[in-house]
Amino acid sequence: MNQDPLSSDLFPEIRLPPAPPKTRAPRKSKKTETTAPSNPAHRGEASLVGASSPTTTLAQQDPEALATVLEAHPDYRLLRRLKPRLHWDGAASQGLVRVVILDTETTGLDHGKDKIMELALLRLDLDSATGLPVGDVQVYDGLQDPGMPIPADVVAITGLTQADVAGQTLDEARIAELLADVDLVIAHNAGFDRPFVEARIPRFRELAWACSFADIDWKAQWRSSAKLENLAQALGLFYDAHRAEMDCHALLAVLAQPLPVPGHSGLAHLVEASAHASYRLQANHAPFDAKDLLKARGYRWNAEQKVWHTFLKDGGTLQTECEWLKEHVYHQRSVVVQLEKLDAHVKYASRQGELIHRQL
């Protein structure tokens, strides 16, 4: 909210104090000394209900008090600037899970040719019983000279210029400290970030990963979008997006909140999801006339391998899908299909998972 006078035309529902009755000013004698003119900057400023005096101006009000007035009205929804939280009260009741929240800014989308310009990490401990952070949050944010020109559209999005990153390099010793004893790395769109950081810091290849974009069904959580800015806005928060550290703080704020369904935190959900392997199932040698059935089921066509495939989140859904394939696609015929097992150590990486052949 800016500091313009609070007009009853703009906010009719905020009741202003009644104007005092007009009284006739006493006639001044010619010998009476005139008072100093009033400050023109204060002309027309209205006081609020609950102000300490009728002359208290909007500029003198507590911004949070003003926000509370608007927030209580059904015609207004308020956004507050995200304030990074670097300490969480409480102590673990059972055990700790150590996680790193990660984000990158890069020169482009292709990890084969583009490079990292910025890497940010938040290291924190979670109470394994509640899934909530405890203790201090350690922060790293470093710039990296990509050794190539930064495209103009990337400069416009991130604000990072060639001059900002010239001669800069990531602090690999500090990154190694933060990655020590880490149980899980979390990124919002890990399929993008993981290949970039693995190419730059090989230690990331050895760690388990989870994706807050793909591993949480945000639609089932009553969110209209899985975009991080939208998830933050649903909590009444805004922030300066597309810089790595602030994106990490925003993701922590979102994931530390209870999910509407089933109610535990997003952090707890990701820790649990990372314990289960997922699978990519291929419908090898599926008859041509089953293509519409497979497409309706959510299978995708891999033109290079010439096979329909689908992604399954765990072993339970894998078993159900194999039974469906045998009955509806292969009509009880014996067939061997191929699975790619993806545990948290290979999931979202650019390399292949364990290949398994399974007879239906």
Side-chain angles (χ1 to χ4, degrees):
M1 180 181 291
N2 58 29
Q3 295 185 352
D4 293 334
L6 186 62
S7 168
S8 60
D9 294 334
L10 294 176
F11 303 102
E13 63 284 344
I14 300 180
R15 295 164 48 200
L16 301 178
K22 294 182 179 180
T23 57
R24 179 175 297 177
R27 180 177 297 177
K28 298 178 182 179
S29 66
K30 293 182 180 180
K31 295 182 180 181
T32 301
E33 185 176 349
T34 58
T35 58
S38 61
N39 188 341
H42 292 169
R43 292 172 187 169
E45 289 185 332
S47 60
L48 296 177
V49 175
S52 58
S53 70
T55 59
T56 302
T57 66
L58 180 62
Q60 295 170 319
Q61 300 299 306
D62 176 9
E64 185 60 30
L66 300 177
T68 302
V69 172
L70 289 178
E71 196 171 36
H73 194 279
D75 288 347
Y76 297 92
R77 295 185 66 185
L78 218 64
L79 293 178
R80 287 176 169 81
R81 180 178 291 279
L82 171 68
K83 297 179 180 179
R85 186 168 177 177
L86 300 180
H87 179 79
W88 297 75
D89 294 332
S93 57
Q94 294 182 4
L96 293 175
V97 178
R98 182 156 291 165
V99 304
V100 159
I101 293 176
L102 173 149
D103 188 56
T104 62
E105 301 299 337
T106 65
T107 58
L109 304 178
D110 186 347
H111 64 86
K113 65 178 183 180
D114 289 304
K115 303 295 181 182
I116 292 175
M117 302 186 301
E118 183 180 25
L119 171 65
L121 308 172
L122 303 183
R123 169 172 157 153
L124 58 144
D125 291 331
L126 306 181
D127 182 341
S128 58
T130 64
L132 295 177
V134 293
D136 294 333
V137 177
Q138 298 184 56
V139 180
Y140 172 77
D141 185 11
L143 296 178
Q144 172 73 52
D145 189 334
M148 60 186 296
I150 303 175
D153 58 337
V154 175
V155 173
I157 292 171
T158 66
L160 286 172
T161 67
Q162 213 75 43
D164 294 326
V165 299
Q168 298 288 334
T169 188
L170 299 178
D171 186 344
E172 296 188 34
R174 177 58 178 156
I175 294 171
E177 289 178 4
L178 293 177
L179 296 182
D181 302 323
V182 163
D183 299 302
L184 187 66
V185 178
I186 297 172
H188 201 67
N189 195 3
F192 174 82
D193 293 294
R194 183 167 190 174
F196 274 101
V197 297
E198 285 189 350
R200 180 62 180 82
I201 308 288
R203 168 69 173 133
F204 282 108
R205 296 171 61 92
E206 305 168 12
L207 300 174
W209 282 67
C211 179
S212 53
F213 179 85
D215 291 337
I216 298 177
D217 186 347
W218 289 107
K219 185 176 182 180
Q221 298 297 331
W222 309 339
R223 297 292 185 254
S224 60
S225 170
K227 188 177 179 181
L228 183 55
E229 288 177 86
N230 292 41
L231 296 174
Q233 288 175 8
L235 300 177
L237 301 171
F238 75 95
Y239 64 99
D240 299 323
H242 303 300
R243 286 301 302 268
E245 184 181 336
M246 280 309 302
D247 282 349
C248 287
H249 287 298
L251 184 54
L252 175 56
V254 167
L255 295 178
Q257 294 297 314
L259 295 173
V261 182
H264 56 223
S265 73
L267 290 166
H269 178 94
L270 292 175
V271 170
E272 180 182 356
S274 68
H276 305 287
S278 56
Y279 298 86
R280 183 175 289 111
L281 170 62
Q282 294 184 354
N284 301 90
H285 309 297
F288 179 80
D289 59 7
K291 63 181 180 63
D292 292 334
L293 188 64
L294 289 165
K295 187 175 181 180
R297 182 79 170 178
Y299 282 71
R300 295 183 178 181
W301 176 250
N302 185 319
E304 182 179 349
Q305 299 181 4
K306 299 188 184 330
V307 66
W308 290 95
H309 66 101
T310 191
F311 185 80
L312 304 166
K313 64 180 181 179
D314 54 41
T317 54
L318 170 63
Q319 179 61 31
T320 300
E321 196 63 24
C322 287
E323 293 171 357
W324 180 87
L325 275 178
K326 186 167 185 176
E327 179 179 354
H328 297 282
V329 174
Y330 299 112
H331 306 294
Q332 302 301 328
R333 290 186 293 107
S334 180
V335 65
V336 176
V337 295
Q338 179 174 288
L339 309 173
E340 183 183 4
K341 183 179 179 180
L342 302 165
D343 64 18
H345 285 83
V346 73
K347 197 174 182 181
Y348 304 115
S350 56
R351 58 190 179 278
Q352 195 173 59
E354 179 186 359
L355 297 181
I356 303 171
H357 291 90
R358 180 167 178 170
Q359 185 166 352
L360 302 186

